[in-house]
Amino acid sequence: MKEFDTIILGGGPAGFSAGIYAARSALKTAIIDINMMGGQPSNYLELENYPGFSHIGGFELMEKFEEHADKFGIEKFPMQEIEKIDLISNPKVILTKEDEFRAKTVIIATGAQPMKLGIEGEKEFVGRGVSYCAVCDGAFYKEKTVAVVGGGNSAVEEACYLTKFADKVYIIHRRDALRADKIVQQRAFNNPKIEFVWDSVVKEIKGSQLVEKLVIENVKTHDVFELAVNGVFPYIGIVPNIDFINGQLEQDKGGFIMTDETMKTSLDGVYAVGDVRHTPLRQVITAASDGAVGAVYAAKYVEETKSVEFIK
Ligand code: NAP
């Protein structure tokens, strides 16, 4: 059994930032992650809106976060799947396949993952033409035709990235205006390899061994047509990674965890930070900011509840 003042679930920007602030508040701190450390930004090609870095690769930035956290002696437990968690008890108890962890406070920073289209062919063709990571799989589409679904920052940025490899990139969007930041939109509009398919939704992904075409419906005219593509990248938003919570915390309609301005959840000693919480903006900087706030208030909680001494 391992005991800590605070255990942070998730080693992305929110988790590392929380770790740095918790350790600097003299809390014995651990970070547990189901995967390797780094979180979602590890897959981002580059960021140009994290202050201090006008251009930096997502993986490189997360390496810097991790190196920084390492300096404060935070214990890291990657590749740990949570089997059971009791956030109500005191101490909080976390059981993974490998170990039992106990902590006075838990900071949930498990982030989010790509939302699925939920259409026929999507599951079947994952790894055979359906991908949720242009940075990982883009190079497979050299001189090919691909489609990106969605109109947010992710869809439009990744479509631009895919033009490095593909001859043609369709952006299929359900409306006639993009949600992405204006500067990102402009890049796509100026890119001759990108063609927009407006007011349209993908109904089905078809192929034999590999993806060959998409069945698309124009939501205004209800025309249904097929589009020949070699690959499709859905970028239609994110869902929180909260499977382990089991109804112990208050969540919004989308499942994101509700917090107050100190990042406290509906339970004492439990905080949620970054993309996993109900928040109006999900960026690396806001995740890092959440982490700082959550850790400072977790430290205050540990200080104020000194009577709950279980760590020798
Ligand atoms: P998002 O901003 O929520 O955009 C999702 C897009 O998918 C929207 O255009 C939405 O259409 C569309 N959509 C949603 N459900 C759909 C469905 N079932 N079928 C078809 N289209 C659907 O998601 P995101 O682009 O993944 O970004 C998530 C967050 O990360 C955002 O806050 C974003 O700003 C941030 N982010 C930032 C950066 C950066 O700053 N470098 C990069 C990537 C992401 P509607 O527009 O009609 O709703």
Side-chain angles (χ1 to χ4, degrees), residues 48-62:
E48 53 182 26
N49 54 6
Y50 192 77
F53 298 93
S54 56
H55 268 94
I56 187 162
F59 187 79
E60 191 189 345
L61 181 64
M62 292 325 298

Side-chain angles (χ1 to χ4, degrees), residues 49 150-154 157 173-175 179 236-237 282-283:
N49 54 6
N153 275 325
S154 298
E157 281 183 0
H173 185 36
R174 63 183 179 183
R175 291 189 290 134
R179 178 182 293 277
I236 60 164
R282 293 192 173 86
Q283 301 282 303

Side-chain angles (χ1 to χ4, degrees), residues 82-126:
I82 297 172
E83 295 213 304
K84 206 171 165 202
I85 186 163
D86 186 348
L87 296 169
I88 298 163
S89 68
N90 211 344
K92 321 291 179 198
V93 181
I94 299 161
L95 294 177
T96 70
K97 283 208 169 93
E98 286 78 18
D99 230 318
E100 178 177 336
F101 297 84
R102 290 179 178 223
K104 293 175 186 170
T105 62
V106 171
I107 300 175
I108 301 169
T110 44
Q113 61 175 294
M115 198 187 286
K116 308 294 182 290
L117 290 163
I119 56 172
E120 205 176 314
E122 185 178 24
K123 248 196 217 155
E124 296 85 320
F125 286 107
V126 166

